Amino acid sequence: QVQLVESGGGLAQAGGSLRLSCAASGLTFSRSSMGWFRQAPGKAREFVASINWSDGRTYSGDSVKGRFTISRDNAKNTVYLQMNSLIPEDTAIYYCAASTAVVFTGRYNYWGQGTQVTVSS
């Protein structure tokens, strides 16, 4: 059974930082592409960042470029999202996702339960 468990969310002030973690189990993490998404109240889910399993290449959404960084530790089966220069618009539930496809197409087949991030002005 695949499990993705996010942690590290909470309350931060604008300009501050948080680091989210997503611990994965039940899959071959080193061969899984990982992503972070977020959803604010009343808004559609938004892509935040992803990291390929094959070459470690990373991608970020336009709204977080230069502020958020995704990374992974295959030895710990964990993916991270370092969030710097936080703004109130970053307030959302953040979800971790995994794709076990050999060729990553941007589609994810496993999702975590989410962790709340709230940024105060």
Side-chain angles (χ1 to χ4, degrees):
Q1 179 182 0
V2 175
Q3 284 193 315
L4 302 175
V5 180
E6 301 98 335
S7 61
L11 178 64
Q13 289 190 332
S17 299
L18 284 174
R19 188 176 82 154
L20 305 184
S21 300
C22 172
S25 60
L27 51 68
T28 305
F29 183 80
S30 61
R31 289 186 174 271
S32 299
S33 296
M34 304 297 295
W36 286 96
F37 290 77
R38 67 186 183 185
Q39 187 164 21
K43 294 190 175 182
R45 186 167 62 195
E46 177 187 15
F47 167 74
V48 175
S50 66
I51 183 166
N52 289 357
W53 74 265
S54 56
D55 57 10
R57 189 170 297 183
T58 62
Y59 302 89
S60 298
D62 288 341
S63 61
V64 305
K65 277 181 181 174
R67 300 188 299 121
F68 292 9
T69 302
I70 188 171
S71 63
R72 64 190 297 156
D73 185 337
N74 287 343
K76 296 183 177 180
N77 285 5
T78 300
V79 62
Y80 303 97
L81 184 68
Q82 179 67 44
M83 306 187 295
N84 298 328
S85 302
L86 286 163
I87 60 178
E89 290 75 15
D90 294 323
T91 296
I93 299 175
Y94 283 71
Y95 298 92
C96 173
S99 168
T100 56
V102 174
V103 178
F104 181 51
T105 62
R107 292 189 173 187
Y108 296 87
N109 43 344
Y110 298 104
W111 293 84
Q113 293 298 308
T115 184
Q116 176 71 48
V117 171
T118 302
V119 182
S120 63
S121 56

